[in-house]
Amino acid sequence: FSPGLLVVAGSFAAFRLLNRGLERLVPPPPSARRNRWKWRNIWTSLAHSALPDTHSLSPRRFYLHPEMSNDLVGTHPPGAHSLVAVSVGYFIEDFVDMLCNQKLHQSWELLFHHSVVIICFGIAVLLHQYVGFALVALLVEINSIFLHLRQILLMANLVHTACYRLNSLVNLGTYVVFRMATLAWMSRWLFLNRHNVPPAAYAVGTAGMAIMTPMNIILFYRLLRSDFLK
């Protein structure tokens, strides 16, 4: 038994309650009323991405605890383990939400993505190892803020606005810096430390990077084509 599992369960329940109440907090515009569950789903995802601990404190932790840069396996500062557990709870909630409300052929990519994240982060929560590595992965959530805002603006039929164009530029910039560069750094770290990581953990990490990298390259191309190459 790991106390982290209680944090995962509490996080799942909290995000589930938030999802149920979001339609009152942020009523959908007329253009989004046909797909109310997706409106709630995106706002729930935005809430997770915008959590202060999810992004801004991740790089600060590496600054305050430079030893993590040399040891992403066994070293992590106080609170980091709980942060990863909260994210696991969110990804499980989002997985269940999509599974219950969206057809499989429409959501299989995200379901696959979430499965990989839940497995990798779940190992960190259960073993109290690789938490530093998971913190690096959470830097991706900085870009997710603008990715979710883009979806909200699309659903609100605000494509032809300065706000959407500005968000598209910031979204693409943060995508390169915090998503693609982060994944490249993680892949490099795994390769350089392959002799220090147990074979099972190395296999899981390598498989995760092999899956996530092409998925993110494809998404980048879709964003570029949709927002800039039309």
Side-chain angles (χ1 to χ4, degrees):
F1 175 76
S2 170
L5 293 177
L6 291 177
V7 180
V8 171
S11 171
F12 174 86
F15 280 108
R16 199 67 184 155
L17 287 172
L18 177 65
N19 183 287
R20 294 296 178 87
L22 267 170
E23 196 163 335
R24 294 182 179 180
L25 295 172
V26 190
S31 56
R33 287 174 188 166
R34 292 183 179 179
N35 208 348
R36 292 175 180 271
W37 88 264
K38 188 175 181 181
W39 179 259
R40 296 194 306 269
N41 178 273
I42 296 171
W43 275 100
T44 305
S45 299
L46 179 62
H48 169 255
S49 299
L51 282 174
D53 264 1
T54 304
H55 51 86
S56 63
L57 292 187
S58 293
R60 189 169 75 90
R61 281 194 172 99
F62 282 93
Y63 175 77
L64 295 175
H65 302 272
E67 66 275 8
M68 277 206 308
S69 300
N70 300 318
D71 180 17
L72 294 179
V73 179
T75 303
H76 59 268
H81 181 265
S82 296
L83 168 60
V84 176
V86 167
S87 291
V88 173
Y90 157 72
F91 282 110
I92 294 174
E93 190 280 330
D94 200 42
F95 186 98
V96 171
D97 192 39
M98 286 189 291
L99 203 61
C100 294
N101 294 288
Q102 199 170 28
K103 294 179 180 178
L104 189 60
H105 74 273
Q106 295 175 317
S107 61
W108 71 269
E109 290 183 43
L110 274 177
L111 291 174
F112 192 46
H113 168 276
H114 284 16
S115 299
V116 173
V117 174
I118 290 166
I119 291 170
C120 293
F121 280 23
I123 290 172
V125 170
L126 289 172
L127 300 182
H128 284 258
Q129 291 186 315
Y130 309 101
V131 175
F133 195 71
L135 281 182
V136 175
L138 282 175
L139 291 174
V140 169
E141 293 302 314
I142 296 176
N143 166 250
S144 295
I145 294 172
F146 305 101
L147 205 57
H148 297 320
L149 279 174
R150 177 183 180 275
Q151 289 182 292
I152 289 169
L153 292 170
L154 280 170
M155 291 193 71
N157 201 21
L158 296 173
V159 179
H160 304 291
T161 62
C163 183
Y164 182 87
R165 289 193 293 271
L166 176 61
N167 185 74
S168 295
L169 287 170
V170 178
N171 180 37
L172 215 61
T174 55
Y175 197 102
V176 172
V177 175
F178 293 106
R179 192 173 288 266
M180 299 184 76
T182 296
L183 289 174
W185 188 92
M186 292 169 70
S187 300
R188 177 180 177 273
W189 184 90
L190 268 177
F191 177 76
L192 294 177
N193 292 272
R194 61 191 182 279
H195 301 301
N196 302 321
V197 178
Y202 181 75
V204 171
T206 303
M209 292 298 101
I211 292 167
M212 302 293 275
T213 300
M215 286 182 70
N216 279 279
I217 291 173
I218 292 169
L219 179 57
F220 179 78
Y221 171 72
R222 288 176 180 172
L223 290 170
L224 190 64
R225 184 183 62 183
S226 175
D227 289 351
F228 296 97
L229 301 181
K230 276 187 177 181

